[in-house]
Every structure is written in C-alpha cells, then in structure tokens.
Amino acid sequence: MSELPKYVGMYRGRDWITTIEWSREELDQILDAAMDLKKKFREKVEHPYLKGKTLFLIFYNRSLRTRNSFEAGMTQLGGHAHFLDPHDAIYTPALPGDEIAYTTERIADVARVLSRYGDGIAIRIYGKHAKWIYGRGNRIIREFARWADVPVINMECDMYHPCQAMADIMTIKEKLGKVEGKKFVMSWAYTPSVEKPLAVPQSAVLVATRFGMDVVLAHPRGFDLDPKVIEQCKKYADEFGGSFEIVHDMKAAFEGADVVYPKSWLSLNYIPPKASKPDFDGMKELFEKNRDWICDSEKLEVAKRDVIYMHCLPADRGYEVTDEVIDGPHSVVFDQAENRLHVQKAIMSMIMG
Ligand code: CP
C-alpha cells in the first residue's frame, strides 16, 4: 500500500463520545478525512487503513444505518466489525448494582476483555435499556470508556449522536458550500411514538452553532432540550459568530431557512430525573396536542427556494413529514445516510489507526 494519509492514527486511542470533547479544528480534520474517503470509495480506490483490526459493536437498541455503515466501513478499511447482541449473544453488560447472576456481566469486565481481542468498542444505548433515566445511556458509554484500553465510540446514547451530527454537517457543507450565517432550523415534529431520544437534535444544534450557523430551535412548549446543551449552544454561537434562538412555532421558524431538520423527540418532563418515574400516558397527551407539527409543502413554502430538508432516518412518514417532502427535490436524507459511512470511517481511521 502507498503511504498512509496523515489522518490515519492522528488521534490514536481517543474516545468518540460527544463532539464537545473535540475542538473545531479536529472536527474540520474529520470532515476533510471523510471527503478523502468518500472520493476513494466512489473511485473504487482501495483504502485498507485498518487492516487486521476489529471493532466490537454493542447495540442495545435496533439500527439500520448505524450498524450497516459501521460494518461496511470496517470491511472497506480492511478490518472487521463484530456485531454483539447484548440481550442474547453475550451476557448483558451492566453497571454495578444492576447485575443478575449469569445473565449480566459487569461493564468493567466486558470492556477489559474486549480490549484484549480488538481495537475499538462501539455502543448504542438509550430508552428502556437505560431505564428511561435521562443521562444513564451516556453514563454507561462512559463506563465502557473508563475501563477499555481501546477507543470507545458512541453510536447514539440518550444525550448525543455525534456520528449523525458529523454526517449532517458534512451534508450541509456539500449542499450549501459556506455554512456560516446560513439559517439552520432544528424542529420538533409529531409522531405517535413517544420514544425517540434527544440525541439527534442535541448533537445537531451543538454542531450547527459550532460551525457558525444561525440556528433556530423550534418546539412546542414542554419539549425543551437539556439546559446544559442550550447553554453550550449559546457559547458556541458567541464564539463562532452565529446565533441561537428558541421559538415555539414551526412555520414561523421555517421562514427564510436554508436548512430544515424536523424530527420528533421525547419530553424530558415525563422521565427521570425530572419525573419520579416515566409517565408515557402524560407524555402521549402532550404529543397529541401537537399533531400539526408536520413538515409539509405548505410549511416549506416560507423557507428559501433552495432550502434543504434533512432527517436522520428512520422518518415516520405521514406524521413527521409528508411523502411529498421527503421524496421531493429539497430532500437530502439519502446523502445524509451515505455520509454516515464516510465520517465514521474517518473517525475510525483517526482513533483506531
Ligand atoms: N440515523 C440513525 O442512527 O439510524 P439507525 O437508527 O438506523 O442506526
């Protein structure tokens, strides 16, 4: 193989848990590496930068894009990804206090064993697998990171989905060119399910403010994001020359938008630690009051003529968005999905190379 690109092994050993822990310069390097890998993938230029390496994938929750882009990505990099079902194939990795004899295994032990066999551990955990306690999924991923001798990758927890956010900003840059000063609208949208985590909207607004965009967060009252995330976005807006505003009207938010990203997320008011126990009936009532929060052609009319419509997928068609919009000319959802592959290969090459 000809000489390795500089980015391979550039951040060897580092964990990828949130974008907050990575500088703006480092995020730019990830995007540059992703563009290089995308070009090589398209031109069928081999790039086995992780030859012989193994990534372990632990999915507590289901997945189409994340699982397949990590598995395909490792194959393309010359390595291999093992899929581990924590409910069946292995003893469920658990925190101290949650252990059940011969059913679970302490995370400290799982992380140290897998570190002896391979080169990275990637985890997805939120919702019922994190007992519906906001922040617990992230805590579990950090527990893996505490004990593992190899990099740990967050494949989505209850707080953050950093791989998605990097694919999102890569897609926005590809479509808009210069992103600074462009209007990015992250909006809540209705769905009959009340279980979607806050990971995508929180990571999206963190990255959009980090890249100097004029960010508008739109949601009905009661769907506030984590106050710590809001504070961080305000700081990023000041530091990187953009702006950050919260509104409670979807159509008004769309006015003049360059990017709209409408999707559902749950209300923190109905799960611990804010509530003493999960109250899905109460949450459902709040959802049902906001059925008109759907992204349709009429709402898109007030955005810029060449607005792009984004969704991380899976989208709840007919609820979050109409078929006309998601299958229409403004939609970039499959570019977003594709870019998951390229940014994740960039991150793996940098931290596992
Ligand atoms: N966007 C995303 O993470 O998709 P999956 O749930 O299919 O992995």
Side-chain angles (χ1 to χ4, degrees):
M1 189 172 48
S2 56
E3 210 178 304
L4 291 174
K6 267 210 312 233
Y7 57 78
V8 177
M10 193 178 223
Y11 296 113
R12 185 170 301 132
R14 266 180 78 176
D15 299 317
W16 175 255
I17 298 178
T18 77
T19 53
I20 301 167
E21 288 137 351
W22 290 64
S23 71
R24 167 64 199 269
E25 190 191 356
E26 290 165 348
L27 299 183
D28 283 329
Q29 288 165 343
I30 292 171
L31 293 179
D32 289 345
M35 287 308 297
D36 179 59
L37 289 160
K38 183 168 186 171
K39 188 165 182 285
K40 286 175 173 148
F41 178 71
R42 290 269 167 92
E43 293 174 358
K44 300 199 187 314
V45 175
E46 290 198 359
H47 44 279
Y49 305 147
L50 296 181
K51 198 159 186 277
K53 302 220 170 180
T54 301
L55 175 67
F56 300 105
L57 306 177
I58 304 179
F59 279 97
Y60 289 80
N61 304 81
R62 56 171 71 108
S63 164
L64 174 72
R65 281 142 290 272
T66 307
R67 175 177 175 181
N68 290 292
S69 52
F70 268 107
E71 289 199 13
M74 275 305 284
T75 304
Q76 291 158 24
L77 289 167
H80 183 67
H82 286 217
F83 174 76
L84 301 174
D85 178 350
H87 312 298
D88 217 3
I90 58 173
Y91 312 98
T92 306
L95 291 168
D98 286 344
E99 290 155 313
I100 304 166
Y102 210 34
T103 301
T104 66
E105 185 165 358
R106 191 169 286 194
I107 289 170
D109 299 343
V110 177
R112 282 179 289 185
V113 169
L114 293 179
S115 297
R116 300 284 180 109
Y117 300 147
D119 306 280
I121 305 172
I123 304 123
R124 164 171 286 195
I125 182 162
Y126 54 79
K128 69 178 177 189
H129 305 294
K131 300 189 175 184
W132 291 112
I133 301 170
Y134 176 71
R136 193 178 167 85
N138 188 262
R139 192 179 140 214
I140 286 173
I141 291 179
R142 290 190 188 280
E143 184 71 1
F144 272 96
R146 181 177 161 214
W147 292 99
D149 298 321
V150 294
V152 162
I153 296 174
N154 180 357
M155 297 194 294
E156 188 174 7
C157 66
D158 44 5
M159 299 177 77
Y160 305 107
H161 197 349
C163 298
Q164 183 67 53
M166 291 307 289
D168 295 342
I169 195 69
M170 180 175 175
T171 309
I172 295 170
K173 281 169 84 82
E174 284 176 336
K175 301 296 173 191
L176 305 186
K178 189 173 170 326
V179 301
E180 289 83 359
K182 298 277 169 66
K183 182 171 176 181
F184 175 92
V185 180
M186 183 80 232
S187 174
W188 186 86
Y190 170 79
T191 174
S193 158
V194 297
E195 298 193 1
K196 292 192 177 185
L198 282 77
V200 168
Q202 297 198 148
S203 290
V205 291
L206 284 166
V207 164
T209 48
R210 196 80 174 283
F211 279 77
M213 300 189 80
D214 289 332
V215 177
V216 175
L217 173 66
H219 60 75
R221 292 184 198 282
F223 287 94
D224 307 58
L225 299 187
D226 183 332
K228 287 202 273 315
V229 169
I230 300 298
E231 275 318 298
Q232 190 64 57
C233 286
K234 288 179 185 164
K235 280 189 199 148
Y236 285 152
D238 285 346
E239 188 180 346
F240 295 99
S243 59
F244 182 69
E245 187 190 353
I246 300 174
V247 301
H248 303 293
D249 181 325
M250 193 183 205
K251 189 162 180 184
F254 279 18
E255 220 160 284
D258 295 283
V259 182
V260 295
Y261 198 150
K263 82 168 298 295
S264 188
W265 64 83
L266 58 74
S267 168
L268 287 176
N269 295 342
Y270 294 86
I271 59 166
K274 268 201 152 181
S276 55
K277 59 182 173 47
D279 172 10
F280 295 114
D281 291 339
M283 188 154 23
K284 183 85 180 143
E285 259 180 54
L286 179 65
F287 268 62
E288 291 307 316
K289 284 183 195 148
N290 294 289
R291 288 185 78 103
D292 56 334
W293 283 65
I294 178 170
C295 181
D296 55 20
S297 299
E298 193 231 310
K299 288 197 190 79
L300 267 195
E301 264 169 28
V302 299
K304 291 244 174 76
R305 252 174 44 156
D306 52 357
V307 62
I308 59 171
Y309 162 81
M310 303 185 79
H311 196 293
C312 56
L313 303 180
D316 289 330
R317 286 169 176 258
Y319 296 111
E320 293 177 294
V321 61
T322 59
D323 285 347
E324 192 185 358
V325 168
I326 197 168
D327 295 325
H330 299 286
S331 178
V332 298
V333 297
F334 299 109
D335 299 298
Q336 269 177 280
E338 178 189 336
N339 284 337
R340 292 289 305 277
L341 175 73
H342 309 303
V343 296
Q344 288 160 201
K345 282 168 69 181
I347 293 161
M348 291 189 288
S349 300
M350 288 168 136
I351 67 179
M352 292 168 58

mmCIF file of all heavy atoms in Angstrom, residues 257-276:
data_model
loop_
_atom_site.group_PDB
_atom_site.id
_atom_site.type_symbol
_atom_site.label_atom_id
_atom_site.label_comp_id
_atom_site.label_asym_id
_atom_site.label_seq_id
_atom_site.Cartn_x
_atom_site.Cartn_y
_atom_site.Cartn_z
ATOM 1 N N ALA A 257 -35.462 29.888 5.910
ATOM 2 C CA ALA A 257 -34.481 28.863 6.303
ATOM 3 C C ALA A 257 -33.702 28.328 5.094
ATOM 4 O O ALA A 257 -34.246 28.159 4.008
ATOM 5 C CB ALA A 257 -35.185 27.711 7.003
ATOM 6 N N ASP A 258 -32.414 28.061 5.335
ATOM 7 C CA ASP A 258 -31.588 27.376 4.331
ATOM 8 C C ASP A 258 -31.653 25.863 4.547
ATOM 9 O O ASP A 258 -31.485 25.092 3.614
ATOM 10 C CB ASP A 258 -30.123 27.825 4.472
ATOM 11 C CG ASP A 258 -29.954 29.298 4.155
ATOM 12 O OD1 ASP A 258 -29.964 29.647 2.972
ATOM 13 O OD2 ASP A 258 -29.841 30.098 5.110
ATOM 14 N N VAL A 259 -31.849 25.478 5.828
ATOM 15 C CA VAL A 259 -31.885 24.061 6.191
ATOM 16 C C VAL A 259 -33.026 23.851 7.186
ATOM 17 O O VAL A 259 -33.125 24.612 8.155
ATOM 18 C CB VAL A 259 -30.569 23.623 6.904
ATOM 19 C CG1 VAL A 259 -30.601 22.147 7.236
ATOM 20 C CG2 VAL A 259 -29.334 23.969 6.083
ATOM 21 N N VAL A 260 -33.875 22.860 6.942
ATOM 22 C CA VAL A 260 -34.852 22.490 7.981
ATOM 23 C C VAL A 260 -34.643 21.021 8.332
ATOM 24 O O VAL A 260 -34.360 20.189 7.475
ATOM 25 C CB VAL A 260 -36.321 22.732 7.553
ATOM 26 C CG1 VAL A 260 -36.577 24.210 7.357
ATOM 27 C CG2 VAL A 260 -36.707 21.933 6.336
ATOM 28 N N TYR A 261 -34.751 20.739 9.645
ATOM 29 C CA TYR A 261 -34.449 19.389 10.156
ATOM 30 C C TYR A 261 -35.547 19.056 11.177
ATOM 31 O O TYR A 261 -35.348 19.139 12.382
ATOM 32 C CB TYR A 261 -33.061 19.426 10.804
ATOM 33 C CG TYR A 261 -32.359 18.106 11.016
ATOM 34 C CD1 TYR A 261 -30.962 18.036 11.001
ATOM 35 C CD2 TYR A 261 -33.048 16.919 11.259
ATOM 36 C CE1 TYR A 261 -30.279 16.848 11.191
ATOM 37 C CE2 TYR A 261 -32.380 15.721 11.454
ATOM 38 C CZ TYR A 261 -30.997 15.692 11.421
ATOM 39 O OH TYR A 261 -30.330 14.509 11.634
ATOM 40 N N PRO A 262 -36.755 18.691 10.696
ATOM 41 C CA PRO A 262 -37.847 18.418 11.624
ATOM 42 C C PRO A 262 -37.900 16.942 12.006
ATOM 43 O O PRO A 262 -37.953 16.072 11.137
ATOM 44 C CB PRO A 262 -39.101 18.793 10.823
ATOM 45 C CG PRO A 262 -38.633 19.047 9.416
ATOM 46 C CD PRO A 262 -37.213 18.653 9.306
ATOM 47 N N LYS A 263 -37.884 16.684 13.298
ATOM 48 C CA LYS A 263 -37.984 15.298 13.779
ATOM 49 C C LYS A 263 -38.540 15.279 15.196
ATOM 50 O O LYS A 263 -38.462 16.276 15.904
ATOM 51 C CB LYS A 263 -36.643 14.558 13.677
ATOM 52 C CG LYS A 263 -35.698 14.829 14.818
ATOM 53 C CD LYS A 263 -34.534 13.872 14.822
ATOM 54 C CE LYS A 263 -34.856 12.417 14.996
ATOM 55 N NZ LYS A 263 -35.449 12.065 16.288
ATOM 56 N N SER A 264 -39.010 14.135 15.593
ATOM 57 C CA SER A 264 -39.606 14.018 16.920
ATOM 58 C C SER A 264 -38.547 13.742 17.995
ATOM 59 O O SER A 264 -37.503 13.157 17.693
ATOM 60 C CB SER A 264 -40.617 12.875 16.899
ATOM 61 O OG SER A 264 -41.329 12.852 18.105
ATOM 62 N N TRP A 265 -38.850 14.172 19.199
ATOM 63 C CA TRP A 265 -38.082 13.733 20.365
ATOM 64 C C TRP A 265 -38.994 13.751 21.579
ATOM 65 O O TRP A 265 -40.025 14.419 21.587
ATOM 66 C CB TRP A 265 -36.822 14.577 20.570
ATOM 67 C CG TRP A 265 -36.979 16.035 20.877
ATOM 68 C CD1 TRP A 265 -37.226 16.616 22.089
ATOM 69 C CD2 TRP A 265 -36.846 17.132 19.941
ATOM 70 N NE1 TRP A 265 -37.254 17.983 21.975
ATOM 71 C CE2 TRP A 265 -37.021 18.333 20.672
ATOM 72 C CE3 TRP A 265 -36.581 17.218 18.569
ATOM 73 C CZ2 TRP A 265 -36.952 19.589 20.076
ATOM 74 C CZ3 TRP A 265 -36.517 18.474 17.976
ATOM 75 C CH2 TRP A 265 -36.701 19.633 18.715
ATOM 76 N N LEU A 266 -38.616 13.002 22.594
ATOM 77 C CA LEU A 266 -39.480 12.870 23.773
ATOM 78 C C LEU A 266 -39.388 14.111 24.658
ATOM 79 O O LEU A 266 -38.510 14.955 24.466
ATOM 80 C CB LEU A 266 -39.129 11.603 24.551
ATOM 81 C CG LEU A 266 -37.710 11.395 25.086
ATOM 82 C CD1 LEU A 266 -37.402 12.254 26.291
ATOM 83 C CD2 LEU A 266 -37.507 9.938 25.456
ATOM 84 N N SER A 267 -40.286 14.205 25.634
ATOM 85 C CA SER A 267 -40.267 15.324 26.578
ATOM 86 C C SER A 267 -39.562 14.895 27.862
ATOM 87 O O SER A 267 -39.979 13.933 28.516
ATOM 88 C CB SER A 267 -41.690 15.773 26.910
ATOM 89 O OG SER A 267 -41.654 16.656 28.013
ATOM 90 N N LEU A 268 -38.530 15.636 28.225
ATOM 91 C CA LEU A 268 -37.767 15.311 29.446
ATOM 92 C C LEU A 268 -38.610 15.473 30.706
ATOM 93 O O LEU A 268 -38.256 14.946 31.766
ATOM 94 C CB LEU A 268 -36.527 16.203 29.543
ATOM 95 C CG LEU A 268 -35.374 15.899 28.583
ATOM 96 C CD1 LEU A 268 -34.262 16.930 28.747
ATOM 97 C CD2 LEU A 268 -34.829 14.489 28.795
ATOM 98 N N ASN A 269 -39.741 16.207 30.588
ATOM 99 C CA ASN A 269 -40.575 16.449 31.785
ATOM 100 C C ASN A 269 -41.245 15.184 32.297
ATOM 101 O O ASN A 269 -41.725 15.151 33.421
ATOM 102 C CB ASN A 269 -41.671 17.467 31.463
ATOM 103 C CG ASN A 269 -41.078 18.818 31.141
ATOM 104 O OD1 ASN A 269 -39.920 19.077 31.470
ATOM 105 N ND2 ASN A 269 -41.845 19.670 30.479
ATOM 106 N N TYR A 270 -41.298 14.125 31.451
ATOM 107 C CA TYR A 270 -42.063 12.930 31.813
ATOM 108 C C TYR A 270 -41.185 11.712 32.122
ATOM 109 O O TYR A 270 -41.695 10.611 32.256
ATOM 110 C CB TYR A 270 -43.046 12.588 30.687
ATOM 111 C CG TYR A 270 -44.123 13.635 30.526
ATOM 112 C CD1 TYR A 270 -43.896 14.747 29.725
ATOM 113 C CD2 TYR A 270 -45.329 13.537 31.204
ATOM 114 C CE1 TYR A 270 -44.866 15.734 29.588
ATOM 115 C CE2 TYR A 270 -46.307 14.513 31.078
ATOM 116 C CZ TYR A 270 -46.065 15.608 30.272
ATOM 117 O OH TYR A 270 -47.030 16.584 30.141
ATOM 118 N N ILE A 271 -39.870 11.924 32.166
ATOM 119 C CA ILE A 271 -38.981 10.806 32.553
ATOM 120 C C ILE A 271 -38.027 11.279 33.645
ATOM 121 O O ILE A 271 -37.790 12.487 33.779
ATOM 122 C CB ILE A 271 -38.188 10.225 31.348
ATOM 123 C CG1 ILE A 271 -37.308 11.297 30.679
ATOM 124 C CG2 ILE A 271 -39.110 9.549 30.335
ATOM 125 C CD1 ILE A 271 -36.263 10.723 29.733
ATOM 126 N N PRO A 272 -37.464 10.333 34.422
ATOM 127 C CA PRO A 272 -36.487 10.735 35.432
ATOM 128 C C PRO A 272 -35.241 11.321 34.759
ATOM 129 O O PRO A 272 -34.946 10.946 33.644
ATOM 130 C CB PRO A 272 -36.154 9.412 36.137
ATOM 131 C CG PRO A 272 -37.302 8.496 35.814
ATOM 132 C CD PRO A 272 -37.774 8.907 34.454
ATOM 133 N N PRO A 273 -34.521 12.244 35.410
ATOM 134 C CA PRO A 273 -34.711 12.630 36.802
ATOM 135 C C PRO A 273 -35.781 13.701 37.028
ATOM 136 O O PRO A 273 -36.096 13.980 38.188
ATOM 137 C CB PRO A 273 -33.334 13.159 37.203
ATOM 138 C CG PRO A 273 -32.751 13.675 35.940
ATOM 139 C CD PRO A 273 -33.290 12.816 34.835
ATOM 140 N N LYS A 274 -36.342 14.308 35.960
ATOM 141 C CA LYS A 274 -37.359 15.355 36.193
ATOM 142 C C LYS A 274 -38.625 14.756 36.801
ATOM 143 O O LYS A 274 -39.202 15.319 37.716
ATOM 144 C CB LYS A 274 -37.685 16.064 34.884
ATOM 145 C CG LYS A 274 -36.832 17.305 34.643
ATOM 146 C CD LYS A 274 -37.489 18.221 33.654
ATOM 147 C CE LYS A 274 -37.086 19.648 33.897
ATOM 148 N NZ LYS A 274 -37.749 20.559 32.956
ATOM 149 N N ALA A 275 -39.093 13.625 36.266
ATOM 150 C CA ALA A 275 -40.253 12.937 36.838
ATOM 151 C C ALA A 275 -39.736 11.822 37.745
ATOM 152 O O ALA A 275 -38.625 11.326 37.546
ATOM 153 C CB ALA A 275 -41.108 12.352 35.724
ATOM 154 N N SER A 276 -40.541 11.411 38.725
ATOM 155 C CA SER A 276 -40.063 10.358 39.629
ATOM 156 C C SER A 276 -40.029 9.004 38.917
ATOM 157 O O SER A 276 -39.212 8.153 39.224
ATOM 158 C CB SER A 276 -40.936 10.292 40.885
ATOM 159 O OG SER A 276 -42.274 10.121 40.492
#
